[in-house]
Amino acid sequence: MSGRTERGAVERFRHWLALHPAALTLLPTPAFAHASDLGHVLLLPTGYYIAGGALAVAASFLVLALLPPAVLDRFWRRRLPLFAFSDGFRTISSLISFAGFAILIAAGLSGSRDPLSNPLPLVIWTLLWVGLAMLQGLLGDLWSWLNPWYGPWRIISRLIGRKDEAQETRLPTWLGSWPAVILFFAFAWFELIDPAPDDPARLAFAAGLYWLLTFIAMLVFGYRAWSRRCEFLTAFFAMVARFALLERKKVERDEDGRLNLCWPGAKLLAAEPLPASGIAFLLLALSSVSFDGLSKTFFWLGLFGINPLEYPGRTAMIGVGSFGLVLTFVLLAAAFLLAVVLGQRLAASRHSFGQATGLLVWSIVPIALAYHVAHYLTALLVDGQYAIAALSDPFALGWNLFGTSDMQIEAGVVAGADSAWWLWNLQAGIIIAGHMLAVLVAHGLAWRLHPIPSRAALSQLPLTVLMIAYTVFGLWLLATPTAG
């Protein structure tokens, strides 16, 4: 092991001990773990925070129920025009991204085996899955410019003489987005349940194989069709981008687009109802990150007779974890569908259940994004530093390409009483704000279904109750002690 690798491991171990004082009494065992928040027991009046968060969400519903629909409609429609730009460099940016991806795969196969020194797990789990998701939710669809498939697909399509979509095999309509749902579940299982998702060689094989199979599918079925309905990263990032502050509208077909500044969540109100597969995808995105937080709590481990101070490791928890991942999704889906059914009955709606569900599920996006940011914030703050250092020496050969390979990792940013206070307040604020925005979006969507304000408000009562309950659940996850 290189000197830098050893230093990184020691720093990481100190950071872990700082957040888990009880671990000083235990014997350390080597293990891989995906990028995640490292919980700590808070000595804060969290009960007041939870009660305040629930009341804030409830109050937002009452305020919206009393506001005239025209007021909020004018609020949502406001746009600030910025500038126009074309897609001319999209192929180039994608090719650069593909080249970087290929280097990362090579680093995963031949570089350091330490997941804190090898850039592949740090880039995928921290910079891509955490950092890029946050930027998507803030700035819009950056993934369409950075994904590693578009550029190679354009080149190969031209080389084989394929110029239009008519020459491609069409995906059957009945397939919907179920391939994306299945692939997202496999991704979540690998991240949360697999014993070693951070092992560089293992991750390199999985990521490389996924890229290759996806690329072949895009050549057969077309880039647009496969990426929108079957490639889970594109589907996830596209849904998250609908919450962003920036909106890009086409000026000329497939060429220029004008960038506008809008309110967060405004683009969700113009969304079309999702089919059953799209509904499942969004609910799975929220339930998976929720289970990630739940899976190491003392409460969850206690249900299966596991002593949280003697955490047996991920290998021993595969069965329990798989069951929990499915159960969390089923319970969330059942609660959401029940809320929509009750809301439809309260409002005496004439719309079909499928139409109402497919439209109202878009209100889940702010909550899913808020959970994603709050849950993985500590991972981004600490593992992001490791990623910057590892990228300077991707193959553990002593390089210092960007002058950051010997940078000091400031793990104390998430350790200590002061850090716990500001970190908790920031995470709690993100979750509460996400649910309040979800209530706001849900009201706007409800008015599309029920033009009469009183009926729109009645239809949202059960869904608001669910959002209040989920606010309490999310804040409890942040505050409750965790193991592992």
Side-chain angles (χ1 to χ4, degrees):
M1 183 181 291
S2 67
R4 186 171 69 82
T5 300
E6 292 176 351
R7 286 196 300 274
V10 170
E11 289 168 354
R12 178 67 167 186
F13 184 61
R14 289 175 178 171
H15 163 57
W16 190 84
L17 287 180
L19 296 180
H20 296 75
L24 293 171
T25 62
L26 303 177
L27 290 175
T29 57
F32 293 109
H34 76 288
S36 176
D37 61 329
L38 298 178
H40 44 276
V41 179
L42 293 171
L43 300 178
L44 297 172
T46 53
Y48 295 110
Y49 282 83
I50 293 174
L55 289 174
V57 176
S60 65
F61 168 79
L62 294 176
V63 171
L64 290 170
L66 297 175
L67 281 178
V71 174
L72 282 176
D73 185 63
R74 288 194 299 269
F75 170 83
W76 285 119
R77 289 180 181 275
R78 289 180 179 177
R79 299 289 189 275
L80 177 63
L82 298 177
F83 53 86
F85 63 95
S86 70
D87 289 337
F89 295 100
R90 186 180 171 194
T91 301
I92 296 175
S93 63
S94 177
L95 288 173
I96 294 173
S97 178
F98 169 69
F101 176 76
I103 292 173
L104 289 174
I105 294 298
L109 294 173
S110 60
S112 171
R113 292 300 302 273
D114 180 4
L116 292 176
S117 295
N118 194 299
L120 177 65
L122 291 166
V123 168
I124 289 182
W125 297 126
T126 304
L127 299 187
L128 174 66
W129 185 236
V130 181
L132 184 58
M134 294 182 185
L135 289 177
Q136 286 274 128
L138 180 66
L139 301 177
D141 195 11
L142 300 175
W143 175 249
S144 63
W145 293 73
L146 298 176
N147 85 75
W149 289 288
Y150 179 75
W153 171 80
R154 284 288 301 271
I155 292 177
I156 298 301
S157 294
R158 290 188 177 185
L159 289 177
I160 62 179
R162 181 173 293 173
K163 298 181 180 180
D164 55 51
E165 297 182 0
Q167 297 175 279
E168 298 163 347
T169 304
R170 290 190 177 184
L171 285 168
T173 305
W174 59 263
L175 193 62
S177 298
W178 289 114
V181 176
I182 295 171
L183 289 171
F184 189 92
F185 181 85
F187 171 81
W189 190 94
F190 183 73
E191 179 200 10
L192 306 178
I193 313 300
D194 186 87
D198 266 6
D199 177 49
R202 187 184 184 91
L203 183 58
F205 176 79
L209 180 63
Y210 178 71
W211 184 94
L212 180 60
L213 295 178
T214 299
F215 185 66
I216 293 173
M218 287 177 174
L219 289 177
V220 175
F221 298 105
Y223 173 82
R224 289 186 180 180
W226 189 264
S227 62
R228 291 178 179 178
R229 295 172 53 188
C230 304
E231 203 286 293
F232 75 92
L233 285 174
T234 302
F236 174 78
F237 286 137
M239 289 180 172
V240 168
R242 282 188 172 272
F243 181 80
L245 297 170
L246 297 178
E247 176 187 52
R248 185 170 182 246
K249 286 192 173 182
K250 291 290 185 179
V251 177
E252 296 178 7
R253 186 178 179 184
D254 297 329
E255 286 296 332
D256 296 337
R258 177 167 293 280
L259 206 63
N260 298 317
L261 187 65
C262 62
W263 294 110
K267 292 180 289 184
L268 292 169
L269 297 183
E272 294 298 321
L274 288 172
S277 56
I279 296 170
F281 188 92
L282 255 179
L283 293 174
L284 180 60
L286 175 57
S287 65
S288 62
V289 70
S290 299
F291 176 71
D292 192 10
L294 176 67
S295 61
K296 293 185 180 66
T297 63
F298 285 18
F299 167 78
W300 174 259
L301 296 174
L303 293 177
F304 300 93
I306 298 172
N307 184 350
L309 298 181
E310 297 178 356
Y311 186 71
R314 291 168 67 104
T315 302
M317 297 288 291
I318 289 178
V320 171
S322 301
F323 168 75
L325 184 61
V326 174
L327 179 65
T328 307
F329 168 72
V330 171
L331 291 178
L332 175 60
F336 175 76
L337 296 178
L338 178 61
V340 174
V341 169
L342 293 177
Q344 291 291 93
R345 291 189 176 183
L346 285 174
S349 177
R350 297 180 180 179
H351 294 278
S352 68
F353 172 70
Q355 184 181 10
T357 306
L359 193 61
L360 292 173
V361 76
W362 284 111
S363 64
I364 295 294
V365 171
I367 300 175
L369 182 60
Y371 270 76
H372 198 88
V373 174
H375 181 68
Y376 293 118
L377 182 60
T378 55
L380 181 64
L381 292 174
V382 177
D383 291 350
Q385 299 178 63
Y386 283 102
I388 294 172
L391 286 170
S392 271
D393 187 14
F395 298 99
L397 297 175
W399 297 352
N400 195 7
L401 299 176
F402 307 110
T404 58
S405 63
D406 294 318
M407 67 179 289
Q408 182 70 29
I409 306 299
E410 298 293 339
V413 69
V414 295
D418 292 338
S419 296
W421 184 89
W422 74 260
L423 191 60
W424 159 260
N425 279 279
L426 180 58
Q427 291 173 308
I430 290 171
I431 287 180
I432 294 171
H435 283 82
M436 292 176 68
L437 283 168
V439 172
L440 185 60
V441 170
H443 266 73
L445 295 171
W447 284 327
R448 286 176 57 181
L449 296 169
H450 313 287
I452 301 175
S454 59
R455 289 192 176 185
L458 283 173
S459 73
Q460 291 308 292
L461 273 173
L463 192 57
T464 301
V465 171
L466 175 60
M467 290 179 179
I468 292 173
Y470 223 80
T471 303
V472 173
F473 174 66
L475 295 176
W476 173 80
L477 282 180
L478 289 179
T480 193
T482 58

